[in-house]
Amino acid sequence: MGNKLATKPCQPQHDLLEVDTPISCLAMPIRRKKITDARSREFRLRILATSDLHMQMTCFDYVNDRPNTGGSLAKLATLIKKARREADEAGAACLLLDNGDTFQGTPMADLLARDEIHGPHPMVQAMNALHYDAGGLGNHDFDYGSAHLDKVLFEQNMPVVCSNLISSELNTVKTQVILERSLTDQYGKPETLRMGILSSLPDKTALWNQHQLKDRVAFTPPIPALRDAAAALRAQGVDLIIVLAHMGFSLFDEGPAAQNLVSEVAQLADVDIVVAGHTHLRFPGPDHAGLKHVNTVTGRVHGKPVVQPGPTGNDLGVIDLTLRKADAASLCTMADAQIALWATGPNTAEDTDIIACTQDMHDQTRRHLGQQVTHIEKPMHSYFALCQPSPIPALLAASKHKAIRKIIAGTKYADLPLLAAASAPSTGGFDGPENFLFLSEGKVERRHISGMNPYANHVWAVKTTGAQIRDWLERSALIFNTLMPDAPDQMLINTHIPSFRCDFIYGLRYEIDPSRPARFDAAGQAVPGARGRIGDITWNDAPLQDAQEFLVATTDHRASGGGLFKVFSRDEIVVQGHAPLQAAVMDYLSDPDFDALQATQPWSFPKDICRSAILLTAPEAESHLHEIAHLKPQVCGQTDDGFLRIRITL
């Protein structure tokens, strides 16, 4: 079946809906095609897909307490209803699927998981109102533990599938599901189409969420699980097999433990269609240009239809299929497939039914987040956190340090030097120029703390050595591009590396030299012969020794190898199961030392390496350029998506 796809690219039809920045062709209006074989029957099916919604119910930024112009499920609902109307008018069946990472991602999700706000789960209410046909799970859906997830899924009307899950607790999750829908051919004769839905996510999810799952949930490798399940479905006479693959395209060699396996899923003989996700990129479109066996215009991978909608309600994936059936005994086959993304934009209206589903929880969330935590006398922000030390990562590090120091007091670890690792949250990236944090002088509210902690991480501590710390820092330094001489407009930051993969380690002093090639590649593997970027590391004003032992306060995600870092063994993890990072920050803020946070400078660029580069930051950063005067900042306009371009000199 998979080798019978048409490869004719679709042409944009801009009258379908308003799209602010089209990133691929739009699905063509559904229409009947001329039948070349009088004996065959033709059917039309439209598949709609969402992915990585991350609880973005409406266009509202809870950290900054204001509406935004981004995506949302409420905007997608407008497109979903339009797509369904078109399908109905053309006599086509329509299927709506979700690809996971649905129930985590906003402060509302955190408060629901901690029972700090109360009522029906708004995402479940909204998805039930939109009549989703089936859904898969993403790794972040397990961030609050299996008991919370089971409670949420129990309320859903749609079947939820995960084909590589092993758990006796998640009783509502199915390994596979067969959906039957009635289609009508060109002669008005009905036919029942049987569609098999499979789903998978990275098997490292159990490792990344080991504290929450506590060995109660496990995952098998995705490809063998999908291969066996798809073969079983085909043996049952299923016409069409769709995989909700909560994984993306591998943009580089991820090694033997790869987590982004969309290409491998598309190669499976019995798989017909793939919905991708996880990486927050888009397909079709330019995000995946240059990959083998991938057609970024027609939306095909190894010749099969694949769609990956953008995250947080930015896109609706649309696949329009022409199916044919040669005779009564045969299965339906795909004669044509057109794949597209329908992008939401500032002018896309939000559906009032979805807003109604979330209004009560929205109001409760805003009231909770508006509570004052402390006050500051100097502003704090993340505008320049990737070109000089920032007080916000310093606050996170100090909070972890305090939490672990309390726990190890009086233990055998009390005499080991304690360091703390922290990444720089809210530094733009995939989430755009609004994804920065600014705390003005005056009161600090709970919403600001949520902005510093976008993930459900817990504070852990690991025992490690000077040599391992050096590797830790080198992996973090991959976020910087290798800066060449006499190239004034090269980008400082590698936009394919999210900022949560860059840790700064507090308690040390060191330099990061972006003029040198990175010592590790994007897969976290050492580059032979590379000198690396980290230099002059000192602890207590003395050079760091490879054999020195330290404790490092970090998060469960990093200790478990999240971000392609070292996976620490059970013996090396000396503190686990502690409070959430957000609670540690709140505890620190009960008696903060803001002057120390402002003054903390663990890292710097070497002096006079004679390189210039472009930093992308928030437009509001222009009022704070005096803070990076030593980098000789020059404003160079804005990007098409609204980032401020600043040329700096190292």
Side-chain angles (χ1 to χ4, degrees):
M1 177 182 273
N3 61 358
K4 297 183 180 180
L5 302 181
T7 57
K8 178 183 176 182
C10 57
Q11 298 298 318
Q13 299 289 317
H14 295 286
D15 58 330
L16 278 177
L17 73 164
E18 183 169 353
V19 179
D20 294 79
T21 307
I23 63 170
S24 72
C25 55
L26 295 176
M28 296 177 69
I30 298 177
R31 57 178 179 267
R32 298 292 181 191
K33 297 181 69 176
K34 183 179 180 181
I35 305 300
T36 56
D37 184 347
R39 295 172 300 172
S40 65
R41 301 164 62 202
E42 184 182 86
F43 310 89
R44 299 304 302 265
L45 173 67
R46 169 168 276 184
I47 299 172
L48 309 177
T50 59
S51 188
D52 300 283
L53 291 174
H54 284 292
M55 275 295 291
Q56 194 66 51
M57 303 286 301
T58 61
C59 295
F60 195 84
D61 178 352
Y62 288 105
V63 174
N64 292 300
D65 195 37
R66 65 190 182 196
N68 62 28
T69 58
S72 70
L73 181 59
K75 284 187 175 181
L76 288 181
T78 299
L79 302 189
I80 289 167
K81 291 180 179 180
K82 177 181 177 63
R84 281 173 166 162
R85 285 195 303 270
E86 287 184 356
D88 186 61
E89 291 167 1
C94 196
L95 201 67
L96 177 59
L97 307 171
D98 181 69
N99 193 25
D101 272 8
T102 307
F103 304 108
Q104 178 279 336
T106 66
M108 182 192 291
D110 296 339
L111 296 176
L112 282 164
R114 298 198 299 263
D115 289 325
E116 295 186 48
I117 58 176
H118 303 281
H121 199 290
M123 180 61 81
V124 174
Q125 280 192 301
M127 297 182 85
N128 286 345
L130 286 169
H131 303 291
Y132 272 79
D133 293 282
L137 294 174
N139 55 295
H140 283 295
D141 292 321
F142 292 87
D143 281 1
Y144 305 120
S146 54
H148 174 74
L149 179 59
D150 188 56
K151 177 183 175 182
V152 171
L153 297 182
F154 185 77
E155 301 175 19
Q156 285 199 310
N157 294 337
M158 70 176 180
V160 176
V161 183
C162 188
S163 305
N164 66 325
L165 169 73
I166 301 174
S167 175
S168 60
E169 290 192 348
L170 296 168
N171 297 317
T172 59
V173 179
K174 304 179 182 300
T175 303
Q176 60 190 48
V177 67
I178 297 175
L179 302 178
E180 294 187 349
R181 295 293 182 271
S182 178
L183 279 67
T184 304
D185 67 10
Q186 72 274 24
Y187 308 113
K189 183 179 179 181
E191 183 74 29
T192 297
L193 179 71
R194 303 180 75 228
M195 294 167 286
I197 309 296
L198 303 176
S199 174
S200 66
L201 71 169
D203 51 358
K204 286 186 177 180
T205 300
L207 180 62
W208 297 333
N209 290 289
Q210 58 181 289
H211 169 63
Q212 293 91 341
L213 301 179
K214 298 184 184 300
D215 299 324
R216 294 189 293 264
V217 174
F219 301 92
T220 61
I223 299 303
L226 292 172
R227 180 187 297 114
D228 293 346
L233 285 172
R234 190 68 78 204
Q236 296 177 58
V238 167
D239 295 277
L240 200 65
I241 296 178
I242 304 167
V243 174
L244 303 173
H246 190 81
M247 50 190 70
F249 297 77
S250 182
L251 302 179
F252 49 82
D253 183 2
E254 296 183 4
Q259 58 178 288
N260 292 304
L261 300 167
V262 163
S263 183
E264 288 80 354
V265 174
Q267 279 186 286
L268 294 176
D270 291 307
V271 169
D272 299 307
I273 294 171
V274 182
V275 179
H278 184 56
T279 58
H280 290 199
L281 299 177
R282 295 164 167 174
F283 186 81
D287 287 355
H288 301 92
L291 298 181
K292 291 183 178 180
H293 310 294
V294 173
N295 190 319
T296 60
V297 176
T298 64
R300 286 171 172 77
V301 180
H302 293 287
K304 296 181 182 178
V306 176
V307 71
Q308 181 173 351
T312 60
N314 282 306
D315 298 296
L316 178 66
V318 181
I319 301 177
D320 285 328
L321 298 177
T322 301
L323 305 173
R324 286 193 183 146
K325 189 175 176 70
D327 52 59
S330 64
L331 298 176
C332 286
T333 60
M334 284 188 285
D336 187 36
Q338 298 175 11
I339 304 97
L341 298 177
W342 288 13
T344 61
N347 298 320
T348 306
E350 291 197 286
D351 184 82
T352 55
D353 293 337
I354 303 304
I355 292 175
C357 288
T358 193
Q359 190 64 55
D360 181 58
M361 292 300 169
H362 171 75
D363 293 339
Q364 290 188 54
T365 300
R366 289 190 65 200
R367 286 195 296 270
H368 182 91
L369 295 177
Q371 297 172 11
Q372 182 171 342
V373 175
T374 187
H375 70 278
I376 57 176
E377 296 180 358
K378 298 178 181 178
M380 298 171 63
H381 59 76
S382 62
Y383 299 148
F384 308 125
L386 295 179
C387 69
Q388 70 173 16
S390 164
I392 292 177
L395 171 59
L396 296 175
S399 301
K400 295 173 188 174
H401 190 281
K402 179 181 179 180
I404 298 301
R405 177 58 68 196
K406 285 182 178 180
I407 293 174
I408 65 173
T411 73
K412 63 181 180 179
Y413 301 111
D415 293 332
L416 279 177
L418 177 62
L419 311 175
S423 58
S426 303
T427 52
F430 296 145
D431 294 322
E434 294 182 333
N435 181 35
F436 288 89
L437 192 61
F438 179 80
L439 286 69
S440 61
E441 63 274 11
K443 67 177 183 178
V444 176
E445 299 175 347
R446 286 181 179 269
R447 62 188 175 90
H448 299 121
I449 311 308
S450 293
M452 298 177 195
N453 302 278
Y455 305 103
N457 291 329
H458 285 63
V459 181
W460 286 17
V462 297
K463 183 180 179 182
T464 188
T465 66
Q468 291 173 339
I469 287 172
R470 192 182 303 273
D471 286 353
W472 192 331
L473 293 173
E474 288 285 2
R475 282 186 168 90
S476 297
L478 185 65
I479 197 170
F480 299 102
N481 285 316
T482 302
L483 302 183
M484 308 304 293
D486 303 319
D489 290 331
Q490 58 195 321
M491 303 303 296
L492 176 67
I493 302 301
N494 183 342
T495 55
H496 292 293
I497 307 294
S499 62
F500 71 80
R501 283 185 58 182
C502 175
D503 278 350
F504 303 110
I505 297 186
Y506 290 74
L508 302 174
R509 295 295 299 271
Y510 57 96
E511 292 183 342
I512 304 174
D513 189 347
S515 69
R516 298 178 185 171
R519 193 171 137 216
F520 290 90
D521 63 19
Q525 303 299 313
V527 177
R531 180 182 173 188
R533 294 171 166 174
I534 305 299
D536 295 334
I537 311 179
T538 62
W539 175 73
N540 276 359
D541 297 323
L544 182 74
Q545 302 299 315
D546 284 354
Q548 281 181 280
E549 291 190 331
F550 295 87
L551 289 186
V552 180
T554 182
T555 64
D556 52 336
H557 179 71
R558 187 67 82 236
S560 302
L564 299 175
F565 279 71
K566 167 184 164 58
V567 178
F568 286 90
S569 68
R570 293 185 181 271
D571 291 337
E572 293 172 314
I573 299 172
V574 300
V575 176
Q576 61 179 333
H578 187 58
L581 175 55
Q582 192 166 133
V585 174
M586 296 287 286
D587 181 59
Y588 179 85
L589 290 175
S590 65
D591 184 23
D593 185 348
F594 288 112
D595 289 338
L597 297 178
Q598 296 279 2
T600 302
Q601 302 284 321
W603 66 277
S604 63
F605 295 127
K607 293 182 179 178
D608 303 323
I609 63 173
C610 300
R611 299 290 192 274
S612 68
I614 296 293
L615 173 73
L616 300 183
T617 186
E620 295 83 357
E622 189 168 0
S623 301
H624 301 269
L625 294 182
H626 62 279
E627 298 175 20
I628 56 170
H630 62 289
L631 297 175
K632 303 180 181 62
Q634 298 174 295
V635 174
C636 303
Q638 292 190 14
T639 65
D640 291 340
D641 48 0
F643 283 101
L644 183 69
R645 290 167 47 91
I646 300 176
R647 182 180 296 121
I648 59 175
T649 302
L650 282 61

